[in-house]
Amino acid sequence: MSLTEGWPQAPEPLPRPVVDNHCHLDTRIRGGALIPVDEALDRAAAVGVTRTVQVGCDLESSRWAVEIARQQPSIVAAVAMHPNDAARSDTLEDDLAEIDRLAADPVVRAVGETGLDYFRTGAEGRPAQQYAFRRHIRIAKRHDRTLVIHDRDAHDDVLAVLDDEGVPDRVVMHCFSGDADFARRCLDRGAYLSFAGTVTFKNAEYLRDALRIAPRDRILVETDAPFLTPVPHRGEPNASFLIPHTVRFMAEVLDTDLAGLCEAIDENTDRAFGGHWPERGDIVV
């Protein structure tokens, strides 16, 4: 039996390639199957998702992201302590020192996902989250890496910390979760807005409003796989090969040409993450 049996059927391929700028190839949910990396990348490339940013959330997954990016040219890594993990850590200083060391690796394009999460962590954990967020911002600046921000129920404090520390040259709002007003505030700071499967959800008109006001050169797309699966597969495990559902939906919301949107997303991702890297199937000498 195939290890991917039971996953959703692959959608129609996109007319031009795009990048999944945020996924977790090493993560299972609800005991679900884990697609082997080579198969996951092949399935994604077959529908036009030819490059990937593998994102770490703690030391183990950050180290894994670096190792898999070394093995797979179509993957680049992001490393960080997720805000919830930072709040729980008893060895935060040592953890941050290791993230700093990992961020120096050439396969690492981003520091993240870092930021603030006031949904899962209560008030007692906020000082540790804010401290870790500040340290991640400094690490991103020191190594000239993109800052990938996780923001859940913490919009004002995320921007306050960014303003206080100084906004890095490249910032991505991962799984953008705000309305049009918050989108404008992020865009004013030069951020890219990354839309996940949540933009397809019936109750997410506020996200679609944010998408509509975003300049075309500031829009990215992601899965956050295996989470946040787009309609029509909401509730099932997510994977990069399902991104075409999200991109097609975004093109409909924007009333724009699908191929043109794909091209913009691909070019935006290069700028957002510090330049082009090989696509799946490219020959690397």
Side-chain angles (χ1 to χ4, degrees), residues 92-247:
L92 186 56
E93 289 296 338
D94 292 340
D95 297 343
L96 293 170
E98 176 68 359
I99 294 300
D100 194 3
R101 186 190 70 80
L102 290 169
D105 195 295
V107 301
V108 174
R109 294 291 185 97
V111 171
E113 57 187 286
T114 181
L116 303 175
D117 188 320
Y118 292 172
F119 178 78
R120 294 189 183 278
T121 298
E124 72 285 351
R126 292 179 185 179
Q129 286 195 356
Q130 292 174 6
Y131 173 74
F133 186 25
R134 290 178 182 275
R135 288 286 302 277
H136 281 90
I137 293 170
R138 296 168 194 173
I139 292 169
K141 290 181 177 180
R142 182 159 50 250
H143 297 286
D144 189 26
R145 304 302 189 226
T146 302
L147 184 71
V148 174
I149 295 179
H150 172 105
D151 164 28
R152 190 165 187 187
D153 293 354
H155 298 338
D156 290 342
D157 283 359
V158 162
L159 296 186
V161 172
L162 268 180
D163 290 344
D164 191 48
E165 289 291 326
V167 182
D169 289 341
R170 299 180 304 279
V171 174
V172 172
M173 300 301 295
H174 146 60
C175 186
F176 183 77
S177 60
D179 59 13
D181 177 67
F182 184 61
R184 291 187 183 95
R185 296 165 67 194
C186 294
L187 292 164
D188 286 345
R189 291 161 173 82
Y192 292 84
L193 309 184
S194 181
F195 292 91
T198 45
V199 76
T200 72
F201 294 177
K202 184 178 180 179
N203 63 347
E205 189 61 30
Y206 66 99
L207 290 180
R208 295 186 278 278
D209 289 341
L211 174 61
R212 291 184 185 102
I213 65 95
R216 190 62 52 85
D217 64 355
R218 289 283 160 173
I219 294 171
L220 306 178
V221 70
E222 64 173 273
T223 55
D224 198 23
F227 312 104
L228 306 182
T229 313
V231 173
H233 299 291
R234 184 178 181 181
E236 302 176 63
N238 200 5
S240 295
F241 74 87
L242 296 176
I243 266 189
H245 290 300
T246 304
V247 178

Side-chain angles (χ1 to χ4, degrees), residues 25-37:
L25 289 163
D26 56 331
T27 301
R28 300 174 188 266
I29 56 171
R30 297 188 297 275
L34 190 68
I35 303 179
V37 171

